[in-house]
Amino acid sequence: MAHPVRFDDDDELLRRVRELALAFPGAAEKVSHGRPQFVTTKTFAVYGATVKGDHHSTRWARSLQFLPDPDEHDALIGDARFFYPAYWGPAGWLGLDLTADEPDWEEVRELLDMSYRRTATKRLVAELDARS
């Protein structure tokens, strides 16, 4: 059974996340479990989330899931905008509620960069570094 679509393609927050995520070398978008996922050989970001025990809520529908560096994890989760997403959270992932405040798009880009570097191949990370 296919998962229902859990996003609106006209969502301005998704448009901005998509623009930032797809700027990374080798990045592509796919829909999995009803949500946009940004991938290279592995997923580095997901738009939208749920929390354990509340799978039908739209509370986190406009959020960004990402894999932070371990040394950044505790500082980020101490900020009320961040949360532990269902399924991905136990693997170290966090969610950022993009509706909690006006998003700081430079911060979002940095979180995407951090997650990309943890999941992309060495060749793709070298290509990213060569762009700088």
Side-chain angles (χ1 to χ4, degrees):
M1 177 197 284
H3 287 271
V5 173
R6 296 175 181 248
F7 65 96
D8 178 356
D9 242 353
D10 295 329
D11 181 348
E12 181 63 20
L13 294 175
L14 172 56
R15 185 194 68 74
R16 292 292 306 272
V17 167
R18 184 178 276 147
E19 178 182 288
L20 292 170
L22 294 177
F24 288 92
E29 180 179 347
K30 69 177 185 175
V31 175
S32 181
H33 296 83
R35 300 193 186 284
Q37 293 190 10
F38 301 95
V39 302
T40 57
T41 56
K42 295 180 180 179
T43 300
F44 70 91
V46 179
Y47 185 78
T50 57
V51 291
K52 191 170 183 167
D54 195 9
H55 295 100
H56 300 291
S57 171
T58 59
R59 170 66 184 96
W60 307 109
R62 300 176 79 205
S63 64
L64 173 70
Q65 294 183 69
F66 63 97
L67 181 61
D69 287 335
D71 58 338
E72 298 283 334
H73 189 275
D74 289 346
L76 292 171
I77 200 64
D79 182 323
R81 299 172 300 150
F82 294 89
F83 63 95
Y84 291 107
Y87 305 108
W88 298 84
W93 288 62
L94 293 177
L96 167 61
D97 180 1
L98 296 170
T99 67
D101 202 353
E102 181 66 30
D104 176 344
W105 293 108
E106 181 57 28
E107 176 186 47
V108 171
R109 190 200 62 72
E110 289 172 3
L111 295 172
L112 288 167
D113 182 89
M114 186 183 335
S115 192
Y116 178 90
R117 289 175 183 279
R118 296 213 45 215
T119 60
T121 65
K122 289 179 183 180
R123 181 187 60 79
L124 289 173
V125 172
E127 186 177 334
L128 176 62
D129 290 339
R131 289 182 179 183
S132 301

